[in-house]
Amino acid sequence: VQTCALPICYRQSKCNQIFQENDNGVLTMNFDVSVVVPVYGVEKYIQNCVDAILNQTLKNIEVILVNDCTPDNSMNICEELYSNNERVQLINQPRNMGAGEARNTGIKKARGEYIGFVDSDDQILPDMFETMLKEAKQYDAEVVHATGFLLAIPAEGNVVPINMLDRTKSLIFSFNVDIHPVQKVSMLDDDLEKRFEGWLIHQYHWSVWNQIYKRDFMIENDIKFSEMKLAEDQLFSLKVLFCAKRFVLVPGAWYIYRPSASSLSRSSDSFKSIIKTIESQMIGEKSAKESLGNIPFFRDNPQNLRRATDNILAGLQEGYIKDEYRKKGEKMIADEELHGFFVKEFGDKAEYVEFLFYELLRSYPQSQDSATRMFSDPEVWSIIRKNYPKYEKTGDSSLLWDGLKRYYELSC
């Protein structure tokens, strides 16, 4: 188990003594929005991420930086830059526990009326939280959900700029994360069957970075991330979807995603990432029951819980294991670390489990999937650059897709 070299206890700057507790020991809310940022392996990006939050047009905002035992200089940079900033909390996890547990720690320490999440290698537009808070107040919303996100690619060359907000170096364009997104601000229908079917087809995308959540709502419904190291945001978002009575959809995109191998969810070591994926699949059933089991829609209809669980486990298989096998092929099958994992988990049955696992892998096509290429392939970036001037004038993302569809020989 990796332990944290930094102090185990919570660490707060002297300015963070504005922390106040009422007679019951409950933290008072001093901010409109608390933004939780897990920190791990992002020394190149963390300053631009945090500054983008602190420089929001909404000033009554705090940043909670949760160190998940980062092996690099990320947290030292945070200490140096923000330890005396009254709008920043610096918190150390006792050991490396994953992004979900880091977010849970941030939720517990949040002082804002609403809570949002940003990954530490990404950035946001200056008016993101002001816009979302405005809609939250207008509708007395428990959840506000933005329908899109922004992708940044280099204006030239093959390296995404460290500061993606530098428009001389970045080309930023928007995509919808929701299938058939709303065209105006809307309150989500109360029909739970409709909500569930919408979640299954990405009508309401499950990412947590495009939403803000009322803190009281999260506490009252015990909404937190599961022990899964991957896909924990899917379970989290599904529970939110079924607990929220006032769920507001806002068309637009403010969150800038970095197409980078340093994502919190994807390890640069492919085989370690596969092990993490299998571990998440193995505890997926338990996590789904713990998260959703008390919600009548799932408790009284076991087939709904089964469908939700299968959807999450299949997503892990498609998005991580299949994708890595397409890229690594037989190297993955020969990896000693993977073999050691199977022996540890299955003992004398390991050989048979490995046989079934690899036979399934061998049935997958060898080509890399289009989604992965879109985010990481410089050839794709070249195609986007050609059409970007037209997109910049019109804001019509379909202009970018025209060239990509021909590249991949895909239909609309």
Side-chain angles (χ1 to χ4, degrees), residues 80-247:
E80 181 179 345
L81 295 175
Y82 308 114
S83 61
N84 291 317
N85 190 319
E86 65 182 14
R87 295 196 292 152
V88 178
Q89 290 190 60
L90 304 176
I91 298 175
N92 295 313
Q93 293 286 74
R95 62 185 183 280
N96 178 248
M97 302 168 74
E101 284 299 332
R103 293 184 184 119
N104 286 340
T105 296
I107 292 169
K108 292 174 185 175
K109 303 301 289 185
R111 296 172 284 179
E113 183 180 4
Y114 285 85
I115 296 174
F117 302 100
V118 173
D119 285 352
S120 49
D121 53 353
D122 296 332
Q123 290 175 263
I124 56 178
L125 293 186
D127 62 338
M128 174 173 172
F129 287 113
E130 181 179 23
T131 303
M132 297 184 81
L133 182 66
K134 176 185 174 184
E135 302 300 344
K137 294 289 190 180
Q138 182 170 340
Y139 287 86
D140 189 25
E142 294 162 319
V143 182
V144 176
H145 169 100
T147 62
F149 78 107
L150 299 164
L151 182 66
I153 66 169
E156 58 182 27
N158 298 332
V159 179
V160 178
I162 291 176
N163 181 8
M164 296 184 292
L165 288 170
D166 183 347
R167 300 306 293 270
T168 66
K169 298 179 180 179
S170 294
L171 302 182
I172 298 176
F173 46 94
S174 64
F175 289 110
N176 291 317
V177 290
D178 291 358
I179 303 297
H180 310 303
V182 296
Q183 300 303 308
K184 62 180 182 179
V185 179
S186 308
M187 186 83 75
L188 195 61
D189 195 300
D190 288 335
D191 185 334
L192 295 184
E193 189 68 44
K194 186 176 177 181
R195 288 192 183 193
F196 187 46
E197 295 301 323
W199 178 83
L200 288 171
I201 66 168
H202 285 205
Q203 177 68 45
Y204 321 113
H205 195 264
W206 39 259
S207 295
V208 298
W209 38 254
N210 62 329
Q211 301 181 339
I212 61 171
Y213 313 87
K214 200 164 195 175
R215 181 173 171 271
D216 287 348
F217 158 75
M218 298 179 75
I219 293 171
E220 289 166 8
N221 291 279
D222 192 28
I223 292 173
K224 59 187 178 182
F225 291 88
S226 74
E227 295 177 358
M228 296 170 67
K229 294 295 179 69
L230 296 170
E232 76 286 346
D233 46 359
Q234 293 189 48
L235 268 180
F236 178 94
S237 295
L238 185 55
K239 183 170 183 178
V240 164
L241 193 63
F242 277 82
C243 290
K245 296 180 176 63
R246 305 186 67 79
F247 191 111

Side-chain angles (χ1 to χ4, degrees), residues 260-277:
S260 167
S262 64
S263 168
L264 287 171
S265 60
R266 291 184 182 270
S267 168
S268 58
D269 185 328
S270 298
F271 301 124
K272 281 185 168 56
S273 179
I274 293 165
I275 291 172
K276 188 163 45 169
T277 303

Side-chain angles (χ1 to χ4, degrees), residues 19-73:
F19 248 102
Q20 296 176 354
E21 296 183 356
N22 62 20
D23 293 339
N24 296 320
V26 177
L27 294 174
T28 58
M29 293 187 295
N30 301 343
F31 296 93
D32 290 324
V33 178
S34 297
V35 184
V36 179
V37 182
V39 179
Y40 188 87
V42 286
E43 61 185 6
K44 288 199 298 185
Y45 310 118
I46 187 63
Q47 181 177 355
N48 285 302
C49 172
V50 176
D51 286 350
I53 302 170
L54 292 175
N55 293 332
Q56 289 282 290
T57 55
L58 177 69
K59 296 305 179 186
N60 193 25
I61 192 170
E62 73 166 339
V63 185
I64 304 174
L65 300 173
V66 185
N67 173 26
D68 195 29
C69 291
T70 183
D72 66 358
N73 203 38

Side-chain angles (χ1 to χ4, degrees), residues 287-351:
S287 296
K289 288 178 182 177
E290 289 177 350
S291 182
L292 306 174
N294 291 326
I295 298 174
F297 182 85
F298 297 103
R299 183 190 63 214
D300 301 339
N301 300 279
Q303 70 276 13
N304 291 336
L305 182 60
R306 179 74 269 154
R307 288 181 72 195
T309 305
D310 287 350
N311 183 272
I312 292 170
L313 298 184
L316 285 168
Q317 188 78 4
E318 180 66 36
Y320 289 87
I321 295 177
K322 280 188 181 183
D323 186 49
E324 291 301 334
Y325 182 69
R326 289 182 182 117
K327 289 183 282 188
K328 300 295 183 183
E330 295 297 309
K331 290 181 182 178
M332 178 171 157
I333 292 174
D335 183 65
E336 287 298 321
E337 192 168 6
L338 269 177
H339 174 71
F341 168 77
F342 281 114
V343 171
K344 183 186 78 171
E345 293 293 337
F346 299 101
D348 58 2
K349 300 180 179 66
E351 187 174 341

